Structures are given as C-alpha cells and as structure tokens.
Amino acid sequence: MLPGSIQISGETLSSAEIRDICESLRENSIKLLSLRGCQLSDRDFGRICKGVAESHSLAQLNLNLGIVSNINRVKQLAEALKTNRSVQSLFLHGSPLTDAGLAILNPALSIHPSLVALDLGDCMLGDEGINLICGLLPPDGAKSGLKELTLSANSGITPKGWGRLAIAVAHSSQVRVLNLDYNPLGDQIAAMLAVSVASSRTLEVLDLEGTGLTNQSAMILLDMVENYPTALKTLILAENNISPELQQQISDLLSEGEEDDETVNHEVMAREKNSWICQSNSSSQMVLVTSGLGESLLAETEM
C-alpha cells in the first residue's frame, strides 16, 4: 500500500491520536503529516519527533502555527531531523523560533540529504537568522540546496540581512521559489532583488506581496523583465503602491516569456525527433544504453 497522509488542523490531540500517528510513522505508512495549529503536550511532541526520526516514508512535515512553541521542542525536532533522511518539505510558519531557535535547528537542516522546501514565515527571525539561511543556499558547484524558501512576515530582518539574502539567491544554483511577502522591504531592497533575479538561472517565482513597493521599484522590475532573459515566470506584486498598468505590463511580459519557452521546447523536440528518424534510417545504427537518470553511458553497441 502506498503511503498516505494525516492532516489535522486546530485540534487538541489526545494521547491515543498521538499513539496512532507515531505507529503510522514507524510503519512507514505516512508520506504527509500536517498538525497545523494543533495543541499537544511537550511529552507527546517528543513522541512525534521520535516517530519522525524513525520514518523512512515521510516526505512533508507541516508544524505550522505554533506547534514548535519553545526551545525544548526545537531541540527535539533538530534531533529528529538529524536521523531522518526522507523529509523533503518542512513547514514551521508561525513558530516563535527567533534566531536562537534557528541556530539550534540549523545544523540538522544543513546536513539533511533530502530537504528542498523550507517555510520559516512569521518565525520572528532577524539578521543572524538570515546568515544561517544563506548557508542553506549554497553557491554553484556546492551541494544541493533549497529549491523553495518562504520568509514571509519576518519584520525583524534589516536591509543588511535582505542584502545578504539577495547575494545568496543570485549565486544559488537551486532556489526556484522565493516568498518574501509581508516584509517591509521597500524600493531599495526590491532593486537588489531585481539584480538577484537577473543573475539567477533557476528562480521562477518571487512573491513580493505587501512589501511596501512603489512604481519606482516596479519600473526597475519591468526593465529587468523586458530587457534581460531570466527564468522568472511569476512575480507577485499585489497590495503594493504600484499602478495596475505597470503590474499588467510586467505580467504580460512574463506571459510572453512562457510562450517563447514553450515554442523553443517544441522546436527542440521536433529537431530531436527528426534527428532520431535520420539515425534510424542510416545503414549503421548505434544503440546507446544509459542509466535511468542519464548519468553515465553504460554500454555502446554498434549494430
């Protein structure tokens, strides 16, 4: 049987429910565990963490809205993640981590072999927390890093911290989705982020909703989208002091970029198909046998 999911929101969990969840974790029958905004004792939270440590099937762990409510729970979660090897997405939105809590959690996040999505929105982070997060966005040639990062509503981060993140994103070879909504960024930070987007080869989604932007930064972003090829497909600018006309221009240009990409992909596929037909019709055929991931040539036989 394929692993399923357990999703509970805003409830007070009984010991019996905790026992069932832990048993499912140990039996590797859960792929997604979401306990969003639930109430449970410190003892039961520790039991959940032990189950997470033992699970080989768990891919998504959602502890949003205050589940990780104190330093002791942060420590328990960190120990679980040091052992766990399967979690790909970790959501801690609305947890009072602070920089001190993230410092405890960071070593486990840094060495986790599968983690690609991290939500630290509304976690009371500051510049020290940003320094730690930048370590999870390794530069080109380093180990695999985060592909999706959410830092919504962390108002304690200063322009210096955002500047450092912008540099890390510009040099990250992995990050595809960056959610910075509801932070007081302003036009200066938006201009730095525009440089990051222009430099990144992978960033596809940037959420700047409610970040104090004006037409000034929108014009910079428009110029970037219009004149520089980027991987960006979605730019969210709602709830900013930006004219609807500018927002529409940016949206239209991004849509045009997606259409161009689709045209190129179709042309490449057509060329590859024609090339294969020509090779098939030749008198001497070459059969290449490769691994499923295409990593190496396993055999080459001339027929």
Side-chain angles (χ1 to χ4, degrees):
M1 185 176 66
L2 293 175
S5 66
I6 295 178
Q7 301 183 61
I8 308 173
S9 181
E11 296 186 12
T12 299
L13 300 178
S14 66
S15 295
E17 289 173 315
I18 295 295
R19 183 174 61 250
D20 290 342
I21 293 171
C22 292
E23 184 176 344
S24 297
L25 287 167
R26 287 192 297 269
E27 293 177 350
N28 297 310
S29 60
I30 302 179
K31 187 173 183 178
L32 184 157
L33 174 60
S34 176
L35 303 178
R36 186 175 180 273
C38 290
Q39 301 292 322
L40 65 164
S41 68
D42 287 343
R43 178 175 176 272
D44 284 341
F45 182 84
R47 292 167 63 191
I48 292 289
C49 286
K50 288 180 180 178
V52 169
E54 296 174 11
S55 177
H56 301 294
S57 64
L58 186 65
Q60 181 173 314
L61 178 60
N62 186 333
L63 299 175
N64 284 349
L65 300 183
I67 301 294
V68 187
S69 56
N70 56 57
I71 289 296
N72 185 52
R73 292 193 179 191
V74 175
K75 292 177 180 177
Q76 290 175 315
L77 179 59
E79 287 301 314
L81 292 173
K82 286 179 182 178
T83 303
N84 177 275
R85 291 291 180 269
S86 63
V87 171
Q88 300 172 23
S89 303
L90 177 63
F91 302 113
L92 300 175
H93 201 112
S95 301
L97 285 181
T98 72
D99 290 350
L102 184 57
I104 294 171
L105 196 59
N106 185 68
L109 301 178
S110 299
I111 64 172
H112 199 285
S114 303
L115 188 67
V116 293
L118 180 63
D119 186 343
L120 295 175
D122 196 18
C123 283
M124 303 173 63
L125 301 180
D127 288 358
E128 289 302 316
I130 284 290
N131 290 342
L132 297 172
I133 290 166
C134 287
L136 303 176
L137 302 174
D140 293 353
K143 66 177 182 177
S144 176
L146 294 176
K147 295 182 180 180
E148 181 172 343
L149 175 62
T150 296
L151 291 171
S152 315
N154 280 293
S155 59
I157 300 170
T158 71
K160 179 181 178 182
W162 292 123
R164 176 152 188 177
L165 179 70
I167 294 171
V169 169
H171 289 279
S172 169
S173 60
Q174 296 293 321
V175 64
R176 296 178 182 175
V177 178
L178 181 61
N179 299 312
L180 302 180
D181 48 312
Y182 299 106
N183 285 295
L185 301 181
D187 291 331
Q188 181 182 4
I189 305 303
M192 287 193 288
L193 289 169
V195 176
S196 293
V197 174
S199 302
S200 173
R201 297 192 302 274
T202 60
L203 188 62
E204 297 179 355
V205 178
L206 177 61
D207 187 350
L208 297 177
E209 181 176 358
T211 51
L213 307 189
T214 70
N215 286 345
Q216 177 182 332
S217 53
M219 289 296 294
I220 295 173
L221 292 165
L222 176 62
D223 179 65
M224 175 205 69
V225 172
E226 189 171 19
N227 297 303
Y228 299 93
T230 73
L232 195 67
K233 297 179 179 178
T234 302
L235 177 59
I236 302 172
L237 296 173
E239 295 191 32
N240 285 297
N241 190 23
I242 298 173
S243 69
E245 293 78 14
L246 272 175
Q247 293 194 47
Q248 189 61 51
Q249 282 182 271
I250 294 172
S251 178
D252 290 345
L253 286 169
L254 290 173
S255 298
E256 288 176 10
E258 285 189 29
E259 291 173 1
D260 292 342
D261 288 343
E262 289 178 2
T263 300
V264 170
N265 288 335
H266 287 316
E267 290 176 353
V268 170
M269 290 174 66
R271 285 198 299 269
E272 289 177 347
K273 182 178 180 180
N274 290 335
S275 175
W276 171 245
I277 291 172
C278 291
Q279 291 175 13
S280 298
N281 290 335
S282 64
S283 58
S284 177
Q285 295 181 343
M286 189 74 73
V287 179
L288 303 180
V289 183
T290 62
S291 67
L293 296 177
E295 293 175 348
S296 63
L297 185 65
L298 299 182
E300 180 175 301
T301 306
E302 187 168 349
M303 297 176 62

